[in-house]
Amino acid sequence: MRRGIFFISAIVFLVLLAVGGCRHAGRYLVKEELPVTPEGTPGRADAIVMLQGTIADRVLQCADLLGAGPGATEPAVSDRLIMVEEGMDSYGELLDRGVKVMSQTRRVEDMFLQLGMPADKITIVPGGAVSTLDEARYIRTWLAGHPEINSIVLVSSSYHLRRASRIFRVAFRELGRPVEIYCSPSTYSDTHPATWWRSKEDIQSVLSEYVKIGAFHFIERRRLKD
């Protein structure tokens, strides 16, 4: 009798634990960490890295951190922006036919220029990236020739940064020197980490990120050693 009660209690406990864990699944994906001084005041990073994906929310977050445009953070976390040139995919066929196509990366650059960012503070790393893994590899290669960059802040949508920070940390192990990696999820993203199960879009985003995290750890991470 007692064993039966204990067994049922254990099952109920595990179910409650699983449900509770699922409720926090959205929050877990949101990684936020900005540099601070030894005195505990806001610090600075050598560069802001804007990852590919949605545009408006990430541009606004970067602008705030860079001190560009109204509503910017004071003091700025950094004055330098880095992006990786996106892959053009099927646009290549249009380019071959003489059609002038502005890549998303160049559109984003133009937005920052309109916000008052100096052109010489914007770096577009060549490469043609189509994934976060590609971005980490191309930026690692670029950093090898820029030893003055020792800390970066990754900017992306909120659910993306847990995985992105892991990818960059693994990638930078091959760099041969330490580079501090911070994260700043966009506060302009239309996400609800605390109640992610109430929205179809949030459910899709959260589940997709966990699948991608698993794929990275068990399949993709070896590509970072190429």
Side-chain angles (χ1 to χ4, degrees):
M1 183 65 176
R2 290 182 179 178
R3 289 183 179 179
I5 294 175
F6 175 80
F7 179 75
I8 293 173
S9 299
I11 293 297
V12 171
F13 173 76
L14 291 174
V15 169
L16 291 174
L17 184 64
V19 171
C22 287
R23 290 172 66 90
H24 294 287
R27 289 179 177 175
Y28 173 75
L29 294 174
V30 183
K31 184 174 178 63
E32 182 172 13
E33 182 183 12
L34 289 175
V36 294
T37 66
E39 293 75 27
T41 58
R44 286 178 62 86
D46 294 322
I48 305 294
V49 175
M50 177 176 160
L51 300 178
Q52 294 177 10
T54 53
I55 297 178
D57 61 321
R58 304 183 193 201
V59 169
L60 288 166
Q61 186 71 17
C62 286
D64 288 352
L65 298 175
L66 291 160
T73 301
E74 291 292 344
V77 174
S78 181
D79 63 354
R80 187 167 187 174
L81 175 70
I82 301 174
M83 297 181 288
V84 178
E85 183 72 55
E86 69 165 350
M88 294 297 286
D89 296 328
S90 58
Y91 286 109
E93 179 68 22
L94 290 173
L95 293 171
D96 292 341
R97 298 187 184 190
V99 177
K100 295 182 180 180
V101 179
M102 178 181 285
S103 70
Q104 177 170 297
T105 311
R106 298 296 171 176
R107 289 172 55 206
V108 170
E109 179 187 29
D110 183 64
M111 293 177 191
F112 282 110
L113 293 175
Q114 292 184 56
L115 286 169
M117 276 284 294
D120 62 351
K121 293 296 185 179
I122 302 175
T123 298
I124 298 180
V125 178
V130 297
S131 68
T132 307
L133 203 76
D134 288 342
E135 291 177 284
R137 293 174 64 187
Y138 289 130
I139 289 179
R140 177 182 64 190
T141 300
W142 184 84
L143 285 176
H146 293 80
E148 74 277 10
I149 303 296
N150 296 301
S151 59
I152 63 172
V153 178
L154 300 178
V155 172
S156 188
S157 54
S158 57
Y159 293 139
H160 181 212
L161 278 174
R162 178 70 61 175
R163 176 169 59 94
S165 64
R166 290 186 181 183
I167 291 174
F168 273 79
R169 291 185 194 282
V170 173
F172 286 2
R173 290 173 188 170
E174 305 293 319
L175 187 58
R177 63 182 176 87
V179 174
E180 293 291 332
I181 300 172
Y182 300 97
C183 296
S184 182
S186 177
T187 57
Y188 299 93
S189 299
D190 186 20
T191 57
H192 311 87
T195 57
W196 64 273
W197 62 90
R198 298 178 182 175
S199 164
K200 180 182 70 175
E201 289 75 17
D202 282 337
I203 291 172
Q204 291 174 337
S205 297
V206 168
L207 295 181
S208 174
E209 275 302 314
Y210 277 101
V211 170
K212 291 176 181 178
I213 288 174
F216 169 67
H217 281 288
F218 295 107
I219 302 173
E220 297 176 333
R221 66 184 299 163
R222 69 191 67 175
R223 289 174 49 196
L224 293 173
K225 296 184 179 181
D226 295 342

